[in-house]
């Protein structure tokens, strides 16, 4: 019984994990891509005013993209010599989490017209709401010759405050690696 509960708990946690989302052009020949550069004017903080999305975070994203693509065999080159261009952007949304708890149920007589003649069930509810921010990092791969988007990956996650710079770098590295884990696509489905 204990093993079943543990397995159910792991399954629940896995179901709640945010997985990256990918889309790509099935007609693109990804085997031809060997070099990359960043889109001129790429700006992580263009569409958001969240204090966590800053030039420091942008540098972390660029470094993580460079590291992951280098490990995959791609070479960073000048934009004029690149097979693909990498663009990145972020968005931040405020979401609300609501929990309602029911407690204190009781059953018994209650007054009705100054007499204790009716029976019923009573309960109390308590609702708690919390605001939190969800950030989405989007990475685009653009064919440099045609200037067409050939691949897009995105991942969202809850933004956490009061993290050390080392922890922020760790989160960015992990997120970028997860997004790029399907670039180039494993299959053309």
């Amino acid at each position: 019984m204990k093993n079943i509960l543990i397995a159910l708990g792991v399954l629940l946690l896995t179901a709640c994990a945010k997985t990256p989302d990918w889309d790509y052009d099935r007609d693109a020949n990804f085997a031809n891509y060997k070099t990359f550069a960043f889109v001129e004017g790429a700006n992580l903080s263009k569409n958001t005013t969240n204090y966590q999305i800053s030039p420091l975070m942008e540098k972390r994203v660029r470094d993580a993209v460079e590291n992951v693509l280098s490990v995959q065999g791609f070479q960073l080159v000048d934009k004029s010599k690149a097979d693909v261009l990498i663009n990145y952007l972020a968005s931040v949304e405020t979401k609300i989490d609501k929990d309602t708890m029911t407690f204190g149920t009781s059953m018994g007589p209650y007054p009705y017209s100054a007499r204790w003649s009716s029976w019923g069930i009573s309960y109390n509810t308590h609702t708690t709401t919390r605001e939190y921010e969800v950030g989405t990092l989007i990475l685009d791969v653009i064919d440099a010759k045609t200037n067409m988007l050939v691949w897009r990956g995105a991942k969202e996650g809850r933004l956490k405050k009061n993290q050390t710079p080392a922890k922020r770098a760790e989160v960015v590295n992990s997120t970028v690696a997860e997004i790029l884990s399907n670039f180039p696509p494993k299959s053309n489905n």
Side-chain angles (χ1 to χ4, degrees), residues 39-148:
V39 168
E40 192 173 316
N43 187 339
L44 192 65
S45 59
K46 186 182 338 184
N47 296 324
T48 182
T49 57
N50 183 284
Y51 80 95
Q52 293 185 64
I53 311 299
S54 67
L56 294 170
M57 190 62 74
E58 186 163 339
K59 181 179 181 334
R60 290 180 187 115
V61 168
R62 286 179 79 101
D63 290 348
V65 169
E66 282 183 45
N67 290 335
V68 170
L69 290 180
S70 294
V71 167
Q72 292 179 352
F74 290 87
Q75 182 181 5
L76 177 64
V77 295
D78 184 76
K79 182 182 172 192
S80 64
K81 297 177 183 173
D83 298 323
V84 294
L85 303 173
I86 307 296
N87 191 28
Y88 48 83
L89 55 132
S91 67
V92 177
E93 293 179 78
T94 300
K95 295 196 175 185
I96 296 175
D97 193 11
K98 183 174 94 169
D99 293 321
T100 301
M101 296 177 53
T102 303
F103 57 93
T105 59
S106 63
M107 189 165 104
Y110 63 92
Y112 177 74
S113 300
R115 304 182 293 178
W116 290 85
S117 61
S118 298
W119 282 79
I121 297 174
S122 68
Y123 59 92
N124 295 313
T125 60
H126 178 73
T127 301
T128 304
T129 59
R130 292 176 299 283
E131 275 191 1
Y132 62 97
E133 292 179 319
V134 173
T136 303
L137 176 62
I138 301 166
L139 299 177
D140 289 336
V141 178
I142 301 158
D143 185 298
K145 288 182 183 142
T146 64
N147 206 31
M148 299 295 292

Side-chain angles (χ1 to χ4, degrees), residues 144-182:
K145 288 182 183 142
T146 64
N147 206 31
M148 299 295 292
L149 179 69
V150 293
W151 186 94
R152 172 173 270 187
K155 184 168 192 275
E156 73 175 28
R158 197 171 192 158
L159 294 179
K160 297 192 170 128
K161 298 178 181 184
N162 302 321
Q163 291 182 322
T164 65
K167 182 63 177 172
R168 290 176 199 254
E170 178 186 321
V171 170
V172 167
N173 289 336
S174 171
T175 301
V176 168
E178 285 182 58
I179 293 171
L180 291 174
S181 67
N182 194 36

